[in-house]
Coordinates of all heavy atoms in Angstrom, one line a residue:
R224 N 2.1 32.7 -44.1 CA 2.7 33.3 -43.0 C 4.1 33.9 -43.4 O 4.8 33.3 -44.2 CB 3.0 32.2 -41.9 CG 3.6 32.7 -40.6 CD 4.0 31.6 -39.7 NE 5.0 30.7 -40.2 CZ 6.3 31.0 -40.2 NH1 6.7 32.1 -39.7 NH2 7.2 30.1 -40.7
E225 N 4.4 35.1 -43.0 CA 5.6 35.7 -43.4 C 6.8 35.2 -42.6 O 6.7 35.2 -41.3 CB 5.5 37.3 -43.2 CG 4.5 37.8 -44.2 CD 4.5 39.4 -44.1 OE1 4.1 39.8 -43.0 OE2 4.8 40.0 -45.1
P226 N 7.8 34.6 -43.2 CA 8.9 34.1 -42.5 C 9.8 35.2 -41.9 O 9.8 36.3 -42.4 CB 9.7 33.3 -43.6 CG 9.3 34.0 -44.9 CD 7.9 34.5 -44.7
E227 N 10.4 34.9 -40.8 CA 11.4 35.8 -40.2 C 12.6 35.9 -41.1 O 12.9 34.9 -41.9 CB 11.8 35.3 -38.8 CG 10.6 35.3 -37.8 CD 10.1 36.6 -37.5 OE1 10.9 37.6 -37.5 OE2 8.9 36.8 -37.3
P228 N 13.4 37.0 -41.1 CA 14.6 37.1 -41.9 C 15.5 35.9 -41.5 O 15.8 35.6 -40.4 CB 15.2 38.4 -41.4 CG 14.0 39.2 -41.0 CD 13.1 38.2 -40.3
G229 N 16.0 35.3 -42.6 CA 17.0 34.2 -42.4 C 16.3 32.9 -42.1 O 17.0 31.9 -42.0
E230 N 15.0 32.8 -41.9 CA 14.3 31.6 -41.6 C 14.4 30.6 -42.7 O 14.4 29.4 -42.5 CB 12.8 31.9 -41.2 CG 12.0 30.7 -40.8 CD 10.6 31.1 -40.4 OE1 10.3 32.3 -40.1 OE2 9.8 30.2 -40.4
I231 N 14.3 31.1 -44.0 CA 14.4 30.2 -45.1 C 15.8 30.1 -45.6 O 16.4 31.1 -46.0 CB 13.4 30.6 -46.2 CG1 12.0 30.7 -45.7 CG2 13.5 29.7 -47.4 CD1 11.0 31.3 -46.7
P232 N 16.4 28.9 -45.6 CA 17.8 28.8 -46.1 C 17.9 29.2 -47.5 O 16.9 29.1 -48.3 CB 18.2 27.3 -45.8 CG 16.9 26.6 -45.6 CD 15.9 27.6 -45.2
D233 N 19.1 29.6 -48.0 CA 19.3 30.0 -49.3 C 18.9 28.9 -50.3 O 18.4 29.2 -51.4 CB 20.8 30.4 -49.5 CG 21.2 31.7 -48.9 OD1 20.2 32.4 -48.5 OD2 22.4 32.0 -48.7
E234 N 19.3 27.7 -50.0 CA 18.9 26.6 -51.0 C 17.4 26.4 -51.1 O 16.9 26.1 -52.2 CB 19.6 25.3 -50.6 CG 19.4 24.8 -49.2 CD 20.3 25.3 -48.2 OE1 21.2 26.1 -48.5 OE2 20.1 24.9 -47.0
G235 N 16.7 26.6 -50.0 CA 15.2 26.6 -50.0 C 14.7 27.7 -50.9 O 13.7 27.5 -51.6
M236 N 15.2 28.9 -50.7 CA 14.8 30.0 -51.6 C 15.1 29.8 -53.0 O 14.2 30.1 -53.9 CB 15.5 31.3 -51.1 CG 14.9 32.6 -51.5 SD 13.2 32.7 -50.9 CE 13.4 34.2 -49.9
A237 N 16.2 29.2 -53.3 CA 16.6 28.9 -54.7 C 15.6 27.9 -55.3 O 15.2 28.0 -56.5 CB 18.0 28.5 -54.8
E238 N 15.3 26.9 -54.6 CA 14.3 25.9 -55.0 C 13.0 26.5 -55.3 O 12.4 26.2 -56.4 CB 14.2 24.8 -54.0 CG 15.3 23.8 -53.9 CD 15.1 22.8 -52.7 OE1 14.0 22.6 -52.3 OE2 16.1 22.3 -52.3
M239 N 12.5 27.4 -54.5 CA 11.2 28.0 -54.7 C 11.2 29.0 -55.9 O 10.3 29.0 -56.7 CB 10.8 28.8 -53.4 CG 9.3 29.1 -53.4 SD 8.1 27.8 -53.8 CE 8.4 26.6 -52.5
Q240 N 12.4 29.7 -56.1 CA 12.5 30.6 -57.2 C 12.5 29.8 -58.5 O 11.8 30.2 -59.5 CB 13.8 31.4 -57.1 CG 13.7 32.5 -56.1 CD 15.0 33.2 -55.8 OE1 16.1 32.7 -56.2 NE2 14.9 34.4 -55.2
E241 N 13.1 28.6 -58.5 CA 13.1 27.7 -59.7 C 11.7 27.2 -59.9 O 11.2 27.1 -61.1 CB 14.1 26.6 -59.5 CG 14.3 25.7 -60.7 CD 15.3 24.6 -60.5 OE1 16.4 25.0 -59.9 OE2 15.0 23.5 -60.9
A242 N 11.0 26.8 -58.9 CA 9.6 26.3 -59.0 C 8.7 27.3 -59.6 O 7.9 27.1 -60.4 CB 9.1 25.8 -57.7
F243 N 8.8 28.6 -59.1 CA 8.0 29.7 -59.6 C 8.3 30.0 -61.0 O 7.5 30.4 -61.8 CB 8.1 30.9 -58.7 CG 7.0 31.0 -57.6 CD1 7.2 30.6 -56.3 CD2 5.7 31.4 -58.0 CE1 6.2 30.6 -55.4 CE2 4.7 31.4 -57.0 CZ 5.0 31.1 -55.7
G244 N 9.6 29.9 -61.4 CA 10.1 30.2 -62.7 C 9.4 29.2 -63.7 O 8.9 29.5 -64.8
A245 N 9.4 27.9 -63.3 CA 8.7 26.9 -64.1 C 7.2 27.1 -64.2 O 6.6 26.9 -65.3 CB 9.0 25.5 -63.5
Y246 N 6.6 27.5 -63.1 CA 5.2 27.8 -63.1 C 4.9 28.9 -64.0 O 3.9 28.9 -64.8 CB 4.7 28.1 -61.6 CG 3.3 28.3 -61.4 CD1 2.4 27.3 -61.7 CD2 2.8 29.6 -61.0 CE1 1.0 27.5 -61.5 CE2 1.4 29.8 -60.8 CZ 0.6 28.7 -61.1 OH -0.8 29.0 -60.9
L247 N 5.6 30.0 -63.9 CA 5.4 31.2 -64.8 C 5.5 30.8 -66.3 O 4.8 31.2 -67.2 CB 6.4 32.3 -64.5 CG 6.0 33.2 -63.4 CD1 7.1 34.2 -63.1 CD2 4.7 34.0 -63.7
S248 N 6.5 30.0 -66.6 CA 6.7 29.5 -68.0 C 5.5 28.7 -68.4 O 5.1 28.8 -69.6 CB 8.0 28.6 -68.1 OG 9.1 29.4 -67.9
A249 N 5.0 27.8 -67.6 CA 3.8 27.1 -67.9 C 2.6 27.9 -68.2 O 1.8 27.8 -69.1 CB 3.5 26.0 -66.8
L250 N 2.4 29.0 -67.3 CA 1.3 29.9 -67.5 C 1.4 30.6 -68.8 O 0.4 30.8 -69.5 CB 1.2 30.9 -66.3 CG 0.8 30.4 -65.0 CD1 1.1 31.4 -63.9 CD2 -0.7 29.9 -65.0
K251 N 2.6 31.1 -69.1 CA 2.9 31.8 -70.3 C 2.7 30.9 -71.6 O 2.0 31.4 -72.6 CB 4.3 32.4 -70.3 CG 4.4 33.6 -69.4 CD 5.8 34.1 -69.2 CE 6.5 34.5 -70.5 NZ 7.8 35.1 -70.3
S252 N 3.2 29.7 -71.5 CA 3.0 28.8 -72.6 C 1.5 28.5 -72.9 O 1.2 28.3 -74.0 CB 3.8 27.5 -72.3 OG 5.1 27.7 -72.3
A253 N 0.8 28.4 -71.8 CA -0.7 28.1 -72.0 C -1.5 29.3 -72.4 O -2.6 29.2 -72.8 CB -1.2 27.6 -70.7
G254 N -0.8 30.5 -72.4 CA -1.5 31.7 -72.9 C -2.5 32.3 -71.9 O -3.4 33.0 -72.3
V255 N -2.4 31.9 -70.6 CA -3.4 32.4 -69.6 C -2.9 33.5 -68.7 O -3.7 34.1 -68.0 CB -3.9 31.2 -68.8 CG1 -4.6 30.1 -69.7 CG2 -2.8 30.6 -67.9
L256 N -1.6 33.8 -68.7 CA -1.1 34.7 -67.7 C -1.4 36.2 -68.2 O -1.0 36.6 -69.3 CB 0.4 34.5 -67.6 CG 1.1 35.4 -66.6 CD1 0.6 35.2 -65.2 CD2 2.6 35.3 -66.7
Q257 N -2.0 36.9 -67.3 CA -2.3 38.3 -67.5 C -1.3 39.2 -66.7 O -0.9 40.3 -67.2 CB -3.7 38.7 -67.2 CG -4.7 38.0 -68.0 CD -4.7 38.4 -69.5 OE1 -4.8 39.6 -69.8 NE2 -4.5 37.4 -70.4
A258 N -1.1 38.8 -65.5 CA -0.1 39.5 -64.6 C 0.3 38.6 -63.5 O -0.4 37.7 -63.1 CB -0.9 40.7 -64.0
A259 N 1.5 38.8 -63.0 CA 2.0 38.1 -61.8 C 2.9 39.0 -61.0 O 3.9 39.5 -61.6 CB 2.8 36.9 -62.3
E260 N 2.6 39.1 -59.7 CA 3.4 40.0 -58.9 C 3.5 39.3 -57.5 O 2.6 38.9 -56.9 CB 2.6 41.3 -58.6 CG 2.1 42.0 -59.9 CD 3.2 42.5 -60.9 OE1 4.4 42.6 -60.5 OE2 2.9 42.7 -62.0
I261 N 4.8 39.2 -57.1 CA 5.1 38.8 -55.7 C 5.4 40.0 -54.9 O 6.2 40.9 -55.4 CB 6.3 37.8 -55.7 CG1 5.9 36.6 -56.5 CG2 6.6 37.4 -54.3 CD1 4.7 35.7 -56.1
L262 N 4.8 40.2 -53.8 CA 4.9 41.5 -53.0 C 6.0 41.4 -52.0 O 6.4 40.3 -51.5 CB 3.6 41.7 -52.4 CG 2.3 41.7 -53.3 CD1 1.1 41.9 -52.5 CD2 2.4 42.8 -54.3
E263 N 6.5 42.6 -51.6 CA 7.4 42.7 -50.5 C 6.6 42.3 -49.2 O 5.4 42.3 -49.3 CB 7.9 44.1 -50.4 CG 8.9 44.6 -51.4 CD 10.2 44.0 -51.3 OE1 10.6 43.6 -50.2 OE2 11.0 44.0 -52.3
G264 N 7.3 42.1 -48.2 CA 6.6 41.7 -46.9 C 5.8 42.9 -46.4 O 5.9 44.0 -46.8
S265 N 4.8 42.5 -45.5 CA 3.8 43.5 -45.1 C 4.4 44.7 -44.3 O 3.9 45.8 -44.3 CB 2.7 42.8 -44.3 OG 3.3 42.3 -43.1
T266 N 5.6 44.5 -43.8 CA 6.3 45.6 -43.1 C 6.7 46.7 -44.0 O 6.9 47.8 -43.6 CB 7.5 45.1 -42.3 OG1 8.4 44.5 -43.2 CG2 7.1 44.2 -41.2
A267 N 6.7 46.4 -45.3 CA 7.1 47.4 -46.3 C 5.9 48.2 -46.9 O 6.0 49.1 -47.7 CB 7.8 46.8 -47.5
S268 N 4.7 47.8 -46.4 CA 3.5 48.4 -46.9 C 3.2 49.7 -46.2 O 3.6 50.0 -45.1 CB 2.3 47.4 -46.7 OG 2.0 47.2 -45.4
T269 N 2.3 50.5 -46.9 CA 1.8 51.7 -46.4 C 0.3 51.7 -46.6 O -0.2 51.4 -47.7 CB 2.4 52.9 -47.1 OG1 3.8 52.9 -46.9 CG2 1.8 54.3 -46.5
T270 N -0.5 51.9 -45.6 CA -1.9 51.9 -45.7 C -2.5 53.3 -45.7 O -2.1 54.1 -44.9 CB -2.5 51.1 -44.5 OG1 -2.0 49.8 -44.5 CG2 -4.1 51.0 -44.6
V271 N -3.3 53.6 -46.7 CA -3.9 54.9 -46.9 C -5.5 54.8 -46.8 O -6.0 53.9 -47.4 CB -3.6 55.4 -48.3 CG1 -4.3 56.8 -48.5 CG2 -2.1 55.5 -48.5
T272 N -6.0 55.7 -46.0 CA -7.5 55.6 -45.8 C -8.0 57.1 -45.6 O -7.3 58.0 -45.2 CB -7.9 54.8 -44.6 OG1 -9.4 54.7 -44.6 CG2 -7.4 55.3 -43.3
R273 N -9.3 57.2 -45.9 CA -10.0 58.5 -45.7 C -11.3 58.1 -44.9 O -12.3 58.9 -44.9 CB -10.4 59.2 -47.0 CG -9.2 59.9 -47.6 CD -9.7 60.7 -48.8 NE -8.6 61.5 -49.4 CZ -8.2 62.6 -49.0 NH1 -8.8 63.2 -48.0 NH2 -7.2 63.3 -49.5
R274 N -11.3 57.0 -44.2 CA -12.5 56.5 -43.5 C -13.0 57.6 -42.5 O -14.2 57.6 -42.3 CB -12.3 55.2 -42.8 CG -12.1 54.1 -43.8 CD -11.8 52.8 -43.0 NE -11.7 51.7 -44.0 CZ -11.3 50.5 -43.6 NH1 -11.2 50.2 -42.4 NH2 -11.2 49.6 -44.5

Side-chain angles (χ1 to χ4, degrees):
R224 183 186 65 78
E225 293 183 297
E227 296 295 324
E230 182 178 339
I231 301 173
D233 290 344
E234 56 273 0
M236 198 62 121
E238 287 175 18
M239 195 52 60
Q240 288 172 342
E241 187 175 314
F243 267 100
Y246 183 64
L247 278 175
S248 292
L250 291 169
K251 286 171 59 176
S252 293
V255 299
L256 182 64
Q257 298 294 304
E260 310 297 339
I261 301 298
L262 306 175
E263 291 285 342
S265 63
T266 57
S268 67
T269 301
T270 301
V271 178
T272 183
R273 288 186 172 272
R274 289 181 182 176

